[in-house]
Amino acid sequence: MRDTPLVCASFMLKLEDVVRDNLVKIHSRWPGRDRRYRQLFDNGFAEHEQLPHEIPIKFIERETSRGTYVVQQLHGVYIGDRLTDNINEPDDYRFHDVFHLAYAAHLGWSPVIRALLKVKRKSNPKIDENEDGARAMIIEEGIATWIFNHAKKRAFYEDVSVGKLDYGLLKQIHSMVSGYEVDSCPLWQWEQAILDGFRVFRELRKPEHRGGTVIVNMTNHTLTFKPPSRVAL
């Protein structure tokens, strides 16, 4: 720290600017008790262009002669495509849509879920094309896959507590969403979304569950898991 003024002078930087930027970074990662969520990105849009404030998605695993897959239901209606692991060694990636639900709950952001539920913000062509479009969805899917591969080598973050997730991982994610609305979300919100998503993912993949219902509450920023009900024979 004693060398900081000298380093700043060497690179023609203002010391107060460096200190301020560092404080912003620290608060973004470790906010202490000041954990205030920003307002939802679709506030002010018509209801049919908003992510529902409660989203109960039922994950159902099925087996066929060709393999195992997962389908999803919303209020009894099937949505999306059949999902498989898409890898030689099964790893339950078929349940990965839970991560998109976690992004919706804790970031108020998920172009993937927005497209799935058909609530794109079409009244604003620029937002519809850029924030809710194909590129944003590809970025979100890429983030989910990249984090999944990182987590798979670490017991799906079972022993990672809040404030302990790899800082480098969070910084890389932040750089991947640069230029998009979610860029305004601090790193602690990303950490909350990631850890909560994997908490529920671990429930979905348990042998005694192999599915269940995941409930997003956008108002309270929560992700709740309900085990599947088994019909007694």
Side-chain angles (χ1 to χ4, degrees), residues 4-5 17 38 40 80 85 98 102 123 129 140 148-149 161 176-177 225 229:
T4 301
D17 291 342
R38 56 154 290 122
L40 298 175
D85 290 348
V98 68
S123 62
E129 179 179 355
E140 183 186 356
F148 184 86
N149 290 334
S161 57
M176 292 172 72
V177 298
F225 172 76
S229 56

Side-chain angles (χ1 to χ4, degrees), residues 36-164:
R36 288 177 290 182
Y37 284 88
R38 56 154 290 122
Q39 70 173 9
L40 298 175
F41 294 112
D42 53 16
N43 271 2
F45 283 84
E47 185 177 355
H48 66 274
E49 293 186 342
Q50 292 182 350
L51 288 167
H53 285 206
E54 185 170 282
I55 311 172
I57 300 291
K58 187 175 183 180
F59 289 76
I60 305 167
E61 186 176 61
R62 291 178 176 163
E63 294 185 11
T64 69
S65 58
R66 298 182 60 183
T68 306
Y69 63 89
V70 165
V71 293
Q72 297 165 94
Q73 283 184 351
L74 175 63
H75 302 305
V77 178
Y78 289 101
I79 59 173
D81 299 321
R82 295 180 176 186
L83 298 176
T84 64
D85 290 348
N86 294 130
I87 198 170
N88 290 320
E89 294 295 328
D91 57 8
D92 290 329
Y93 188 72
R94 69 199 75 162
F95 293 112
H96 86 275
D97 271 2
V98 68
F99 306 132
H100 301 304
L101 294 174
Y103 302 157
H106 290 286
L107 301 168
W109 174 84
S110 176
V112 170
I113 297 298
R114 194 176 288 281
L116 192 65
L117 302 185
K118 295 180 171 56
V119 288
K120 290 189 176 185
R121 292 164 286 183
K122 292 186 177 294
S123 62
N124 186 318
K126 185 176 180 180
I127 289 180
D128 178 40
E129 179 179 355
N130 299 328
E131 299 291 354
D132 301 342
R135 184 174 175 181
M137 286 189 281
I138 291 170
I139 289 172
E140 183 186 356
E141 289 286 11
I143 288 172
T145 303
W146 182 59
I147 297 173
F148 184 86
N149 290 334
H150 184 272
K152 187 162 65 169
K153 301 172 185 176
R154 296 162 177 81
F156 294 117
Y157 299 147
E158 186 170 9
D159 298 320
V160 179
S161 57
V162 173
K164 300 296 185 180

Side-chain angles (χ1 to χ4, degrees), residues 195-209:
L195 294 183
D196 214 18
F198 276 97
R199 174 185 63 82
V200 177
F201 170 77
R202 294 193 301 271
E203 292 292 335
L204 286 166
R205 72 190 298 262
K206 283 182 177 179
E208 65 268 31
H209 294 156

Side-chain angles (χ1 to χ4, degrees), residues 17-36:
D17 291 342
V18 172
V19 172
R20 183 178 60 252
D21 289 346
N22 282 336
L23 288 174
V24 169
K25 291 177 182 177
I26 291 170
H27 189 265
S28 173
R29 178 66 183 89
W30 296 285
R33 296 181 179 179
D34 188 23
R35 290 176 173 264
R36 288 177 290 182

